Every structure is written in structure tokens, then in C-alpha cells.
Amino acid sequence: SMFVLIMAGGRGSRLNLGEKPLVTIAGRPMISCVIEAFSGAGCEIMVVASPRTPLTKNWCRANDVDVYPSDGIGYVEDFIACASELDLREPFFTSVADLPCLSSSLVRRVREEYEASGKEACSVWVPAALVHEHGCTCNYVENIDGVEACPSGINIISGERITEEQEELRLILNEPSLVFNINTREEL
């Protein structure tokens, strides 16, 4: 099965509701929705938490979810440190902890598209128009094959060459469930 590092070490300060992974939607912490989507797709879960997210660490321990205590230096630095410690050589997912609408079928689809591509890595994008249509904001936009797209926060990386540039499949999914990467109270 494929590993996923769920990145839960950020501040979430724009939301101002405490630690972002634990903000509840429909009565559940966002991180539990993400964990369920990946475990339902047969992935092995590791939550990467930092000194800024002590309550998320506690929640993981209380819910029997493996947690890696990172230094919280930065998103990329933290997943590289975790992957190195776990000695992940195979491709693995990285995901943000705030995609409450993520589903197992979508995770499986990303994995299948990635495996079919024969590329080393994969980044998942959503059309900016779809993001705006749902009243959400996009902090970063890139033109991919003529489509203005926003990163979804889901990637696959080859553990073998983690610190090197990897040839990647840039997968654009017209998937409303990926739009809700929660950063503001309006999006919540």
C-alpha cells in the first residue's frame, strides 16, 4: 500500500479558530475526513504535526493515528524529514489536512492516473474558475496547458529522489470536492 504524509503542522492563523486540522465540519475534525479518504483508498497514514499543533498530536494519539513530530520549519522541509526517517523509497502521497470533502475514490483515481503516467511525481490541480465559482480563494495560480489552475494540496513524490527535481504529472481535476481547502471563515 502507498504511504500518505498528512501535513498538519501549519498555523491556520487566517481562520483564527485554533489548530486548523481540528476545525470541525459537520461535527468532525477536518483531518479525520482526510485520514478516512486515504485509509479507505488503502493508504498507510502518517500525520506530520509540529510544535504549533500540539492538540492535533494529542487527537492523533487518542485516535490511534501515527504521528510524526516535525520541527515545523516548513511544509517541504517537514515532509522530507519525515520521509527520510521512515526511509520511504517508494512513491508516497503528501496531503494537506484541510480537504474535508476528499473521498477515497478520488484518492484512488489520482493514484491510477499517476501510475499510468509513468512519471516520477504528480501534483493535483483544480481549475481556478471552479474555485471561484464556489466562492473560494486561490492563493497561487499557474497556467497548465492553457488552464488557469490552483494547487489542491495533494501530491505524489518519489521517495528515492526526494530532494531532487522530479518529472511530474500535473493533473487537473474538475472536482468540486477539491475546491474546499479551508483557509477562511467564509470557506468554512
Side-chain angles (χ1 to χ4, degrees), residues 135-176:
C136 292
T137 49
C138 191
N139 301 321
Y140 174 81
V141 178
E142 204 169 297
N143 189 309
I144 299 172
D145 304 325
V147 177
E148 295 289 305
C150 310
S152 72
I154 297 174
N155 296 280
I156 298 176
I157 295 146
S158 165
E160 205 65 86
R161 304 196 320 118
I162 194 164
T163 55
E164 300 166 46
E165 190 77 21
Q166 299 186 11
E167 192 199 351
E168 69 173 12
L169 165 69
R170 300 202 305 172
L171 184 59
I172 301 178
L173 297 177
N174 199 20
E175 209 28 90

Side-chain angles (χ1 to χ4, degrees), residues 1-132:
S1 71
M2 208 162 176
F3 245 95
V4 57
L5 306 184
I6 297 173
M7 306 303 291
R11 273 200 185 81
S13 50
R14 283 176 290 176
L15 213 51
N16 212 7
L17 289 169
E19 294 178 23
K20 192 156 71 160
L22 298 180
V23 170
T24 57
I25 291 186
R28 297 176 59 199
M30 284 196 274
I31 192 169
S32 77
C33 306
V34 176
I35 288 168
E36 197 173 276
F38 279 99
S39 65
C43 293
E44 278 184 75
I45 312 288
M46 178 64 74
V47 170
V48 180
S50 79
R52 287 191 294 274
T53 50
L55 300 175
T56 301
K57 280 184 213 162
N58 290 346
W59 181 91
C60 288
R61 288 192 192 104
N63 289 278
D64 291 324
V65 175
D66 290 327
V67 64
Y68 173 83
S70 76
D71 295 333
I73 299 163
Y75 194 92
V76 173
E77 293 84 348
D78 286 358
F79 80 64
I80 288 177
C82 179
S84 302
E85 192 150 319
L86 292 173
D87 199 26
L88 295 181
R89 303 246 175 248
E90 300 297 309
F92 62 90
F93 275 103
T94 62
S95 177
V96 291
D98 56 350
L99 284 172
C101 304
L102 188 63
S103 68
S104 298
S105 59
L106 196 57
V107 171
R108 281 191 292 271
R109 180 176 166 200
V110 169
R111 185 175 176 174
E112 285 160 11
E113 299 250 11
Y114 161 73
E115 287 171 349
S117 77
K119 298 210 159 111
E120 284 178 291
C122 173
S123 54
V124 181
W125 301 74
V126 279
L130 187 68
V131 173
H132 298 137

